[in-house]
């Protein structure tokens, strides 16, 4: 991942057994230095396109397809504020199955109920009465004046022209499996920086990665750090 090449360096007290002085230092990457999109860039709709991640596609494959350079995968990640691939990037089918078994303990538990959601309800004129996907209790009831015209697992149609009060239970169980698949699929739609803005983005990112002058400043790409061995701490 070429992102680490973009990180500046620090002079860190050497922990190597071969060091011959207490002040010996080595140059290492400053992994705590990171950048994120500026607010104005992050909110600029015209600067991005949307991309759907297909099954098993990695960030470097996306970068190769979009920018003809797989080492620009870090731009794909920064554009979506992704800092943890495991949590924020969609898993492929096998990895998702393993993740669910590990999380819920067994295949039987994966098939268990995670929560309950409302079923969409419309009236005789196809107007929305209740939206689907609202999380509710299993015994949630909906009262209305009229009658049920039709009912399936995903849609209930009512005739609201009656006067008698009716009660229905417009609820369906969402399994742990369905819940995890939905969360994983939601991660598939990402934003990608337009290739026309690529050079400007990289230049600005490199500028952000430079150090400001301070007591530890050595150069734009290198600064020192505190050495507790010198002070005897």
């Amino acid at each position: 991942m070429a992102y680490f090449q973009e990180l500046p360096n620090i002079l860190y007290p050497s922990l190597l057994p071969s060091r011959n002085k207490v002040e010996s230092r080595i140059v290492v990457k400053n992994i705590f230095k990171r950048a994120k999109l500026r607010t104005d860039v992050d909110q600029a709709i015209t600067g991005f396109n949307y991309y759907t991640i297909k099954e098993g596609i990695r960030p470097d494959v996306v970068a190769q397809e979009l920018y003809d350079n797989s080492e620009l995968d870090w731009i794909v990640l920064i554009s979506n504020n992704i800092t943890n691939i495991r949590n924020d990037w969609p898993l492929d089918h096998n990895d998702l199955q393993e993740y669910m078994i590990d999380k819920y303990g067994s295949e039987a538990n994966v098939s268990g109920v995670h929560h309950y959601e409302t079923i969409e309800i419309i009236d005789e004129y196809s107007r929305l009465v209740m939206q689907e996907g609202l999380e509710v209790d299993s015994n949630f009831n909906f009262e209305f004046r009229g009658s049920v015209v039709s009912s399936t697992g995903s849609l209930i149609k009512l005739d609201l022209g009656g006067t008698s009060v009716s009660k229905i239970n417009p609820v369906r169980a969402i399994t742990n499996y369905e819940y995890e698949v939905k969360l994983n699929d939601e991660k598939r739609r990402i934003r990608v920086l337009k290739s026309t803005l690529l050079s400007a983005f990289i230049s600005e990112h490199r500028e952000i990665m430079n150090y400001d002058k301070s007591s530890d400043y050595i150069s734009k790409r290198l600064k020192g750090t505190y050495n507790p061995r010198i002070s005897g701490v």
Side-chain angles (χ1 to χ4, degrees):
M1 186 176 181
Y3 174 71
F4 292 102
Q5 298 176 10
E6 302 293 329
L7 295 176
N9 300 314
I10 56 175
L11 274 177
Y12 193 78
S14 176
L15 301 177
L16 298 175
S18 59
R19 70 177 186 271
N20 53 19
K21 296 180 180 179
V22 293
E23 67 269 18
S24 293
R25 294 173 179 262
I26 56 175
V27 177
V28 297
K29 287 294 180 182
N30 186 357
I31 60 174
F32 299 104
K33 181 87 168 175
R34 69 177 295 265
K36 65 177 183 178
L37 292 176
R38 288 194 335 235
T39 302
D40 58 329
V41 175
D42 190 32
Q43 298 176 353
I45 300 176
T46 57
F48 299 88
N49 291 320
Y50 282 97
Y51 181 95
T52 300
I53 303 169
K54 299 181 179 66
E55 177 74 8
I57 296 299
R58 304 185 309 270
D60 60 315
V61 177
V62 176
Q64 180 64 41
E65 178 184 335
L66 297 177
Y67 309 129
D68 199 30
N69 187 343
S70 62
E71 293 190 343
L72 295 181
D73 52 356
W74 59 273
I75 293 181
V76 175
L77 300 179
I78 286 181
S79 296
N80 293 277
N81 292 321
I82 293 176
T83 57
N84 188 317
I85 293 290
R86 174 69 178 179
N87 294 335
D88 300 329
W89 194 264
L91 300 173
D92 63 27
H93 177 74
N94 291 335
D95 286 342
L96 181 59
Q97 291 287 341
E98 291 181 8
Y99 168 78
M100 287 190 285
I101 294 295
D102 182 64
K103 180 176 180 178
Y104 295 103
S106 68
E107 291 187 6
N109 290 340
V110 170
S111 300
V113 175
H114 186 276
H115 65 275
Y116 296 87
E117 291 184 357
T118 54
I119 298 171
E120 183 178 346
I121 302 176
I122 61 174
D123 66 10
E124 63 270 35
Y125 302 107
S126 296
R127 295 176 297 192
L128 183 66
V129 176
M130 176 176 290
Q131 72 182 79
E132 66 176 332
L134 300 176
E135 190 169 336
V136 293
D137 294 331
S138 60
N139 59 355
F140 171 78
N141 289 314
F142 178 74
E143 293 187 357
F144 64 98
R145 292 185 180 275
S147 59
V148 177
V149 175
S150 61
S151 178
T152 66
S154 59
L155 180 66
I156 298 175
K157 187 173 184 178
L158 306 178
D159 182 347
L160 300 180
T163 56
S164 59
V165 176
S166 299
K167 181 187 295 185
I168 57 175
N169 176 235
V171 172
R172 76 181 188 96
I174 304 298
T175 65
N176 292 318
Y177 177 84
E178 291 175 299
Y179 172 76
E180 296 296 342
V181 168
K182 181 181 178 181
L183 287 183
N184 196 58
D185 285 344
E186 287 174 350
K187 299 174 185 177
R188 295 190 182 280
R189 190 169 188 261
I190 61 172
R191 298 184 314 167
V192 291
L193 186 72
K194 291 183 177 178
S195 57
T196 54
L197 301 176
L198 195 58
S199 296
F201 180 90
I202 293 174
S203 296
E204 182 167 336
H205 180 268
R206 287 174 177 168
E207 185 64 29
I208 292 173
M209 286 292 110
N210 289 334
Y211 291 122
D212 295 328
K213 288 191 175 181
S214 67
S215 58
D216 295 323
Y217 180 89
I218 297 174
S219 69
K220 289 184 177 180
R221 303 290 294 175
L222 180 66
K223 73 174 184 178
T225 57
Y226 172 67
N227 188 346
R229 289 197 299 269
I230 294 179
S231 61
V233 177

